Amino acid sequence: MAPIYWYQDRWLPAEEVRISPDDRGYYFGDGVYEVFRVYGGALFEADAHLARLQASADGIRIRLPHDLETLKSRLEELVRRNGLQEGTVYLQVTRGTAPRAHLFPPAAEPVTLAYCTEVKRPLAAMQAGCAAVTAEDIRWLHCNYKTLNLLANVLAKQDAADRGAADAILHRGGIVTESSASNVMIVSDGKLVTHPANNLILHGITRAVVLRLAHASAIPVEERPFTLAELRAADEAFLTGTTIEILPVISVDGSPVGAGKPGPVTRQLQEQFERAILF
Ligand code: PDD
């Protein structure tokens, strides 16, 4: 069955979606997006994703063309129409279509697109862990907005792959922020440490779920800046994100993290996460 896209509030087969070359998303990256997880045919943490979409849109002064309840019901319908059980939903809203000029076009209406993709849970990677490298975080100072401008993230991820690693852990002057497409947590002296949810990181939905799970099982949590030296000396480290869930980091820049294999706190959180998504 050909995938059905939701585009400008219409249901269309993928090949019938026509994006204008004048779409500001295309030449300015002028838009916001979300990636939702679908487990068992249901959107996971939909309200949290939609609230973040609203915050991102407000942050870059885009007026969402639908209220969040309408958006949610359209995305649920998208999942139903495509018969998706396990995968992701991608949703993006650009500022609209107008001849190229930096100023906001007064008449442009936002352009909305959503589609879903079958994506299996990365069980093997979650079991084995991954290698990461470190890189300077060269992004702008509104990383809490999930915008289409991902060039620095793309370059960091590609550079990591070229160096044989799964991801790049980013730092600003030695303070670890997040990775190219996920949040970063370390376990040090039994405490779970992660960068505070401020303007320097995306406020990850998976991050929030993991922190809730840690609180629920009385793992001490510190949301504070931590250094590259702390990352290197950590007992455990892992990445969190919608598609990767909780991905252990077993080496950083070629040196093992802790015992060089996924650690017990990471494992425990993975098990709790598993229970949370299976409802
Ligand atoms: N990325 N940090 C960045 C820079 C991200 O791009 C993402 C998600 C996260 C994790 O957020 P969440 O737990 O809400 O997925 C953190 C998505 C999946 C992407 O761009 O594909």
Side-chain angles (χ1 to χ4, degrees):
M1 193 177 72
I4 302 294
Y5 280 42
W6 180 59
Y7 179 59
Q8 295 297 70
D9 210 16
R10 292 166 63 205
W11 302 102
L12 296 171
E15 63 275 10
E16 285 180 28
V17 174
R18 294 280 172 273
I19 309 285
S20 165
D22 276 343
D23 192 301
R24 291 174 65 94
Y26 178 57
Y27 46 66
F28 288 131
D30 188 356
V32 293
Y33 78 104
E34 279 295 325
V35 182
F36 301 71
R37 243 304 178 185
V38 174
Y39 294 117
L43 291 163
F44 180 64
E45 293 284 316
D47 293 336
H49 280 281
L50 289 167
R52 186 172 66 186
L53 181 77
Q54 182 75 65
S56 300
D58 291 347
I60 68 164
R61 297 163 63 191
I62 285 181
R63 189 182 43 77
L64 292 179
H66 305 279
D67 62 40
L68 299 187
E69 276 310 305
T70 306
L71 275 174
K72 183 155 97 174
S73 71
R74 295 293 193 281
L75 298 184
E76 285 167 349
E77 185 172 347
L78 180 74
V79 169
R80 244 191 339 268
R81 281 179 181 253
N82 284 281
L84 184 71
Q85 282 300 308
E86 190 166 311
T88 56
V89 168
Y90 179 81
L91 167 67
Q92 77 166 41
V93 183
T94 71
R95 195 177 305 281
T97 296
R100 185 181 182 280
H102 287 65
L103 284 177
F104 294 174
E109 291 295 324
V111 174
T112 308
L113 167 80
Y115 61 85
C116 44
T117 310
E118 195 178 338
V119 183
K120 296 285 175 211
R121 299 181 55 211
L123 298 174
M126 281 160 47
Q127 195 60 32
C130 74
V133 291
T134 57
E136 183 78 35
D137 190 342
I138 59 164
R139 298 173 302 162
W140 71 335
L141 296 174
H142 297 293
C143 298
N144 49 324
Y145 306 148
K146 200 161 172 61
T147 80
L148 300 179
N149 276 111
L150 290 175
L151 191 51
N153 307 60
V154 166
L155 290 172
K157 182 101 175 178
Q158 186 60 49
D159 189 49
D162 293 347
R163 291 156 69 189
D167 206 351
I169 293 180
L170 306 176
H171 66 93
R172 286 192 196 261
I175 300 291
V176 174
T177 50
E178 58 182 338
S179 91
S180 75
S182 61
N183 292 113
V184 180
M185 301 196 184
I186 60 171
V187 179
S188 189
D189 295 331
K191 294 187 196 108
L192 190 60
V193 184
T194 194
H195 195 282
N198 61 12
N199 63 310
L200 299 181
I201 65 164
L202 186 74
H203 302 188
I205 308 303
T206 322
R207 173 187 183 280
V209 171
V210 169
L211 293 184
R212 278 206 304 273
L213 296 174
H215 286 303
S217 56
I219 298 169
V221 171
E222 290 183 356
E223 291 181 71
R224 61 163 176 85
F226 64 95
T227 63
L228 277 176
E230 286 182 275
L231 169 67
R232 296 189 201 291
D235 302 316
E236 303 177 35
F238 59 87
L239 309 177
T240 65
T242 290
T243 44
I244 58 165
E245 300 186 2
I246 297 175
L247 178 61
V249 175
I250 57 172
S251 73
V252 170
D253 294 331
S255 301
V257 174
K261 57 181 199 216
V265 176
T266 310
R267 286 275 182 247
Q268 184 192 324
L269 289 166
Q270 284 178 322
E271 281 161 27
Q272 287 177 265
F273 192 85
E274 183 93 23
R275 286 196 291 277
I277 63 175
L278 297 179
F279 342 106

